[in-house]
Amino acid sequence: MFRTALRNVFAHKARLLMTVLAVMLGVAFVSGTLVFTNTISDAFQKSSAKGFDQVDVAVTPKTAASKGDRLAKDPKLTQATLDRAAKTPGAASAIGVVSGFAAVADKDGKLVGNGFSTQGANYWGEHDPRYPLKSGKAPSGKGEVALDSQTAKRAGYKVGDTVRMSIDGPVLTPTLTGIFTTEDGNVAAGGSLALFDTATAQQLLHKQGSYDEIDVKAAAGTGQAALQSALDKALPKGQAETTTGKQLADDQAEQISSSMSSMKSSLLVFAGIALFVGVFIIANTFTMLVAQRTKELALMRAVGASRRQVTRSVLAEAFVVGAVAAVTGLAAGIGIGAGMRSLMGATDAQIPDGPLVVSPGTVVTSLVVGVVITMLAAWLPGRRAAKVPPVAAMSSVHATATTRSLVVRNTIGALFAAAGIASSLYATTMSDGTSAQAPLGLGAGLLVIGVFILTPLLSRPLIAAAAPVLRVFGISGKLARQNAVRNPRRTAATASALMIGLTLITGMTVIAGSAQQAIDKMASSALKADYVVSMANRNSLSPEVAGKLAEVDGVTATSGLGNAPSRIDGKTEFLTGVNGATIGSLTDLKVDSGTFRIGGRDVVVDDKTAKDHGWRTGSTFTTNFEDGKKQRLTVAGVYEGNDMMRGIMLDSAVLTPHVTDPSDMQVMVKTDGGTSAAAKDRIEKALGDNPAILVQDKQDISNAISKMFTLMLNMLYGLLAMAVIVAVLGVINTLAMSVFERSQEIGMLRAIGLDRKGIKRMVRLESLVISLFGGVLGVGLGVFFGWAAGRLMAMTLSTYELVLPWGRIGIFLALAALVGILAALWPARRAARLNMLAAIKSE
């Protein structure tokens, strides 16, 4: 039976080619993902491990917990702590570490690095072992800085140049005195690192007299564990905690592995979708092969083959096909992984050097996935083949599905679909969006399965709806419609592959478009300000930024928004400091009760915070500020909060004296003439044309949101493109085998006068109808899932409204039509070239 299976594989090489390609693409996606993520993870882990070579034990402040009405303050690592660590027995040296945000601009004024990974720190002494100097000397004083070699190269800086940079708003222009090398993971990932001398770093990064960390190097003959034990005894208890360099490296490796795991899981989900779509193609192919070999299988049964042997024969074919597809897919995946690694390097995404990692797990996973998926998909056709009775050897046509089997199928499909709809609708009625995700996911899965099972039933009415259009093409159109509904199961399996891809694409488009409009609406409705000024990485701004903006010509009102923690009723609440005199003219928040009055002891509170504390207009409460002082405040009004503005707002004049390091998250600005290029230019010039600061009007905010969603959708479209490609292969495969099955029929049509153009048109129209059928089902399901998911988002996003992107839906249906046309090119050409006499004589 195994020899028979091999013979059948070689006898149907062309027909099995599309199945091999479908499985190969899915396996390539899986193996490429594993190779790429393993390679990147390994490179970053090795790079980060080198960064801890100079650290045997790290000392960090111990986090304090707030209790009662008092806000806890974390202890600081002072110079005294550093001196004590350096004198600990077994310690060779100790370095105080200061770090924070520092934005560096290139010579064209553009920001270097990737926002959150643009860092500033201190260079220790004249020769810091962490940062070997490549050229120049160590920085000294406020006017000097050192840059990592990658940043200096990208920005075009050399020793002696003036560097434009910013810490919290104001532009700094220090001289570049040194260029160093580093194994810092942020720099390797495309960030930047600027170093100042320790005193300057402490001042600029708001760490006066303290350190973020103390790195201790062990003396010769002292192990990390022994040094850690000695430091634990030497340092004040409850103020600092210690971690060995090995533990730091292990924690960093685990963190890198975890972040790569998220990326890996996301990519594997899309690989799974492509493989799931491939299952339809495999099952369809083997179903048709079994149907074409009915006579042969019946003869095998007649001469003594058991049902189990026949099933094994089909599964053996599937094993060979799956093994070939898995091996070629693995090879292609290794190439894809290497290509993605090179592509990231070519797009300036800095990745540490390292070898391509092809682990045994990747090889085994790829081979198992390819073989198991193929054999599982072929099992049902193989089981069906085993049921062929020997008497069928007298006929070359296998028995059609009975009415009973179709009734059973439709009943099961209707139950699945009903359960899916019910579960999805139930999820939309729940009050907790997080809890509703599980029933919505279950409902989506059940509904897709139900629609797939019902697809043969749905195919007849939906394809019949296209009859008026197909009549335009004469006899070719009529034959195409009849061919599409002749075998509804085959049509269903072919259309379902495309349906799944378009369901996901449509659903994500509906969700993204609706969410974008909701956030855009929220931004425009909550703000009266003409401009919002913030740091590019959303870090805090220096309070002097608001002062500078207030002095700009044409600016009529400004207000910074600064956050500070406090304790209220035994809970930590963040207070938002604003300019009480101008905030009303800069915001347009809906007031539920009271008035939007801020000044002195009067504050306004968002509706959710007020509900949590049981406050109403006129309620009073005591707040415990960061410095430990208390003040009684009165709720002047309750407003409707949103994701952009919420919490307790009070006058900055009341809040700032109690804050250790005052800062603003953003500054709102109103001008006398509204938004204009001249007004924006004046604001930017007042801030020194700082590349680290964003000056945005409502349209800029909307464009930034739109850009984010567009980028997300384009990535998803790219990942789902694999499923669509596999679906195209399925249509090609179905049509090619359908043409082979109907060779005699096509020969007869040619003999009675249908020309080659008519044959081609018939095959193309059949493909077009099947593809559009799948497209309509996919778009319908996608819109439903987009609506259901949107109902969950509306629970937390008050401005959410369903937006149907009719233009894109039209594009998706046009894409489905294009898939049908392209997929029919080769089968149609093959059908038209059949020799009519040879075709008529074929069985």
Side-chain angles (χ1 to χ4, degrees):
M1 295 303 292
F2 184 70
R3 286 199 300 271
T4 302
L6 286 178
R7 187 206 66 189
N8 285 324
V9 169
F10 289 115
H12 303 115
K13 294 188 294 291
R15 284 178 248 171
L16 290 170
L17 177 61
M18 295 301 174
T19 301
V20 170
L21 284 174
V23 179
M24 184 199 76
L25 288 173
V27 172
F29 205 154
V30 171
S31 57
T33 295
L34 295 175
V35 169
F36 172 68
T37 53
N38 288 344
T39 298
I40 300 300
S41 179
D42 181 72
F44 274 115
Q45 286 180 16
K46 288 179 178 177
S47 175
S48 66
K50 290 180 183 177
F52 294 110
D53 286 347
Q54 299 299 322
V55 184
D56 285 315
V57 178
V59 181
T60 53
K62 196 162 188 175
T63 303
S66 298
K67 293 182 179 179
D69 290 333
R70 195 164 188 83
L71 196 67
K73 287 186 178 181
D74 293 336
K76 293 183 178 181
L77 301 179
T78 62
Q79 185 64 39
T81 314
L82 175 64
D83 293 340
R84 186 176 293 189
K87 294 176 182 178
T88 300
S93 61
I95 294 175
V97 179
V98 182
S99 61
F101 170 76
V104 178
D106 61 18
K107 288 193 172 182
D108 295 326
K110 295 180 180 179
L111 190 66
V112 179
N114 298 326
F116 290 95
S117 58
T118 52
Q119 299 292 309
N122 66 314
Y123 190 94
W124 190 259
E126 293 296 323
H127 300 286
D128 193 326
R130 302 170 299 168
Y131 309 113
L133 285 169
K134 189 175 180 181
S135 61
K137 66 179 185 67
S140 177
K142 287 186 178 181
E144 296 184 356
V145 69
L147 293 177
D148 68 271
S149 55
Q150 290 187 20
T151 299
K153 182 179 178 181
R154 279 183 288 166
Y157 287 128
K158 296 179 181 178
V159 172
D161 288 345
T162 298
V163 178
R164 282 178 58 80
M165 62 184 305
S166 175
I167 303 297
D168 56 4
V171 174
L172 304 176
T173 54
T175 300
L176 181 63
T177 62
I179 296 174
F180 59 90
T181 59
T182 178
E183 298 293 341
D184 187 284
N186 285 321
V187 175
S192 63
L193 181 60
L195 300 180
F196 307 90
D197 69 80
T198 299
T200 302
Q202 287 176 323
Q203 180 184 356
L204 292 175
L205 300 174
H206 308 287
K207 310 285 177 63
Q208 288 90 340
S210 65
Y211 301 98
D212 295 302
E213 184 178 306
I214 295 173
D215 293 341
V216 186
K217 187 74 175 171
T222 303
Q224 290 187 353
L227 178 58
Q228 181 183 25
S229 178
L231 285 167
D232 286 338
K233 294 176 182 176
L235 298 176
K237 291 184 178 180
Q239 293 187 11
E241 52 189 5
T242 58
T243 311
T244 63
K246 182 181 182 306
Q247 184 62 49
L248 287 172
D250 291 343
D251 291 344
Q252 184 85 337
E254 186 177 344
Q255 185 179 354
I256 292 170
S257 178
S258 177
S259 62
M260 285 292 111
S261 177
S262 300
M263 179 193 295
K264 184 188 297 184
S265 298
S266 300
L267 292 173
L268 287 177
V269 165
F270 290 96
I273 292 168
L275 285 168
F276 183 60
V277 171
V279 167
F280 293 101
I281 298 173
I282 300 164
N284 221 11
T285 301
F286 278 92
T287 297
M288 288 187 282
L289 286 175
V290 166
Q292 291 169 9
R293 286 161 42 205
T294 299
K295 190 171 182 178
E296 174 190 329
L297 293 171
L299 284 171
M300 290 173 62
R301 290 291 313 284
V303 298
S306 66
R307 286 187 174 187
R308 188 171 295 178
Q309 285 178 311
V310 171
T311 302
R312 286 176 181 170
S313 174
V314 175
L315 291 178
E317 285 183 57
F319 175 82
V320 173
V321 171
V324 171
V327 171
T328 53
L330 173 62
I334 293 172
I336 290 172
M340 290 174 70
R341 170 71 175 79
S342 301
L343 181 64
M344 289 192 72
T347 55
D348 291 332
Q350 302 296 318
I351 305 294
D353 293 331
L356 194 69
V357 178
V358 184
S359 67
T362 299
V363 175
V364 172
T365 300
S366 301
L367 296 178
V368 169
V369 164
V371 173
V372 170
I373 288 290
T374 308
M375 293 184 69
L376 282 176
W379 175 77
L380 191 58
R383 186 170 173 270
R384 199 176 293 142
K387 291 183 178 181
V388 176
V391 74
M394 295 182 292
S395 172
S396 61
V397 180
H398 188 29
T400 58
T402 63
T403 304
R404 180 176 176 275
S405 68
L406 291 174
V407 170
V408 171
R409 175 174 180 144
N410 293 336
T411 302
I412 294 172
L415 290 173
F416 268 95
I421 293 172
S423 181
S424 299
L425 293 177
Y426 169 70
T428 63
T429 62
M430 296 177 68
S431 57
D432 183 7
T434 303
S435 302
Q437 291 176 3
L440 180 59
L442 175 64
L446 291 174
L447 183 54
V448 168
I449 294 171
V451 171
F452 166 65
I453 297 173
L454 288 172
T455 307
L457 178 66
L458 297 172
S459 64
R460 290 187 179 276
L462 288 177
I463 292 175
V469 178
L470 293 175
R471 286 197 195 102
V472 176
F473 299 96
I475 190 65
S476 295
K478 183 178 180 181
L479 289 170
R481 184 181 64 82
Q482 291 175 347
N483 289 336
V485 297
R486 178 185 297 181
N487 191 332
R489 293 187 185 219
R490 181 186 302 172
T491 298
T494 306
S496 295
L498 187 60
M499 176 193 78
I500 291 169
L502 284 181
T503 295
L504 293 169
I505 290 173
T506 305
M508 290 174 179
T509 303
V510 170
I511 294 169
S514 300
Q516 176 184 329
Q517 179 169 300
I519 297 172
D520 190 13
K521 185 178 178 181
M522 182 189 298
S524 61
S525 63
L527 292 177
K528 284 184 183 176
D530 294 315
Y531 295 100
V532 175
V533 178
S534 61
M535 293 294 286
N537 70 332
R538 305 304 174 188
N539 250 34
S540 56
L541 287 161
S542 169
E544 68 179 85
V545 171
K548 281 187 176 182
L549 293 174
E551 298 171 358
V552 176
D553 289 340
V555 171
T556 58
T558 63
S559 176
L561 272 74
N563 287 341
S566 69
R567 293 288 287 181
I568 301 172
D569 297 336
K571 293 172 62 178
T572 299
E573 294 280 3
F574 277 85
L575 306 174
T576 302
V578 298
N579 186 331
T582 61
I583 190 66
S585 64
L586 296 166
T587 58
D588 192 17
L589 297 168
K590 181 182 177 183
V591 179
D592 292 338
S593 64
T595 59
F596 199 81
R597 184 179 70 253
I598 300 174
R601 296 188 177 185
D602 290 337
V603 302
V604 293
V605 184
D606 73 287
D607 48 0
K608 186 177 183 302
T609 303
K611 183 179 179 181
D612 290 344
H613 288 275
W615 296 335
R616 296 187 299 272
T617 300
S619 297
T620 60
F621 62 91
T622 301
T623 181
N624 296 268
F625 292 110
E626 187 179 351
D627 62 355
K629 294 183 179 179
K630 300 180 180 181
Q631 186 159 349
R632 197 76 177 165
L633 301 174
T634 302
V635 178
V638 177
Y639 67 92
E640 193 174 296
N642 55 49
D643 286 344
M644 295 190 65
M645 301 190 75
R646 62 172 58 178
I648 304 169
M649 290 190 196
L650 71 163
D651 200 301
S652 296
V654 176
L655 178 63
T656 302
H658 302 287
V659 179
T660 305
D661 185 21
S663 62
D664 292 321
M665 294 307 296
Q666 61 184 35
V667 178
M668 293 183 289
V669 181
K670 193 170 184 62
T671 59
D672 54 8
T675 58
S676 67
K680 187 173 183 178
D681 187 58
R682 287 196 300 271
I683 292 172
E684 289 177 341
K685 276 187 166 47
L687 298 174
D689 290 322
N690 193 331
I693 293 182
L694 292 176
V695 180
Q696 296 177 300
D697 58 23
K698 292 179 184 178
Q699 188 59 48
D700 293 330
I701 294 172
S702 177
N703 291 342
I705 295 168
S706 177
K707 184 178 180 181
M708 177 182 67
F709 279 106
T710 300
L711 177 63
M712 178 189 72
L713 277 178
N714 288 340
M715 290 176 62
L716 293 173
Y717 290 161
L719 292 169
L720 287 170
M722 185 69 73
V724 176
I725 292 171
V726 173
V728 172
L729 294 177
V731 178
I732 295 173
N733 206 18
T734 299
L735 289 173
M737 300 188 78
S738 180
V739 167
F740 175 81
E741 281 184 344
R742 303 203 309 262
S743 295
Q744 191 177 61
E745 176 187 320
I746 292 170
M748 289 294 294
L749 289 171
R750 291 276 289 115
I752 61 176
L754 190 62
D755 60 10
R756 289 186 174 182
K757 286 185 178 180
I759 295 292
K760 284 184 179 180
R761 190 180 300 118
M762 176 187 72
V763 176
R764 287 171 184 163
L765 289 173
E766 180 185 350
S767 175
L768 182 63
V769 167
I770 293 173
S771 297
L772 281 175
F773 171 53
V776 168
L777 288 180
V779 167
L781 284 174
V783 169
F784 175 76
F785 292 142
W787 168 81
R791 295 276 295 184
L792 268 60
M793 293 182 67
M795 296 176 189
T796 55
L797 198 58
S798 59
T799 54
Y800 185 92
E801 291 180 3
L802 179 67
V803 176
L804 293 180
W806 295 109
R808 292 207 177 191
I809 287 175
I811 291 173
F812 298 154
L813 290 175
L815 174 66
L818 181 63
V819 165
I821 293 170
L822 293 177
L825 289 177
W826 176 61
R829 184 168 177 269
R830 185 180 175 208
R833 295 181 66 180
L834 283 175
N835 182 292
M836 70 177 74
L837 295 178
I840 291 171
K841 291 190 295 182
S842 67
E843 293 188 6

